[in-house]
Amino acid sequence: MFGFLWYGPLFGKTWAREMKFPPDFKPTNAQMTRAMILMVVGAFLTAFVLVHSTEVWRASAWKAGADKPAWQYGFFGGFFTWLGFYVPLLFSGVAWEGKSWKLFAINAIHYLVALQVVGAILAHWR
């Protein structure tokens, strides 16, 4: 839902222009179905890894004391996953694929917010 809003009404036209899609570009139903399936699989893989990486930072996992508030694990887990894994991959798009910094910013902020939402849900769901 967040991706729909981000790449639709909020930044869809700018994103499409930066991706160099023609103004009248319309993906087929098969392309949309394939893309949605891949994105759902990717979201579940990200959530699976994020829940494990945030769990390892809890003091109780190491029998080293009481845990901090759940929001801290969700926030920092999402932030450092974004900073260490997503941002470097997006840099390669600018460096090697000729993508613009504007496209970098649109995608990077999308992933940051998405990881924050997933991190918060997973931290409190525990």
Side-chain angles (χ1 to χ4, degrees):
M1 185 64 156
F2 173 67
F4 168 77
L5 291 173
W6 192 264
Y7 291 109
L10 294 176
F11 298 104
K13 290 181 181 180
T14 304
W15 176 82
R17 188 172 46 255
E18 293 300 313
M19 288 292 293
K20 298 181 179 26
F21 290 147
D24 60 343
F25 176 74
K26 196 88 160 142
T28 66
N29 285 342
Q31 290 171 323
M32 285 297 290
T33 300
R34 179 178 179 264
M36 294 300 286
I37 289 170
L38 289 172
M39 291 307 299
V40 168
V41 169
F44 278 111
L45 288 172
T46 299
F48 178 78
V49 171
L50 191 57
V51 76
H52 287 85
S53 66
T54 56
E55 186 63 28
V56 77
W57 292 105
R58 293 182 186 279
S60 62
W62 297 88
K63 297 180 176 59
D67 289 340
K68 302 283 186 197
W71 71 266
Q72 289 183 1
Y73 297 103
F75 174 81
F76 288 112
F79 177 76
F80 286 115
T81 298
W82 173 77
L83 185 64
F85 296 101
Y86 285 74
V87 170
L89 289 173
L90 292 170
F91 278 157
S92 71
V94 173
W96 299 105
E97 299 170 12
K99 304 292 185 192
S100 70
W101 284 106
K102 185 184 283 187
L103 182 62
F104 170 88
I106 290 169
N107 289 332
I109 295 168
H110 167 262
Y111 288 126
L112 175 62
V113 174
L115 284 166
Q116 290 301 304
V117 170
V118 171
I121 290 169
L122 292 174
H124 289 287
W125 194 3
R126 179 183 182 269

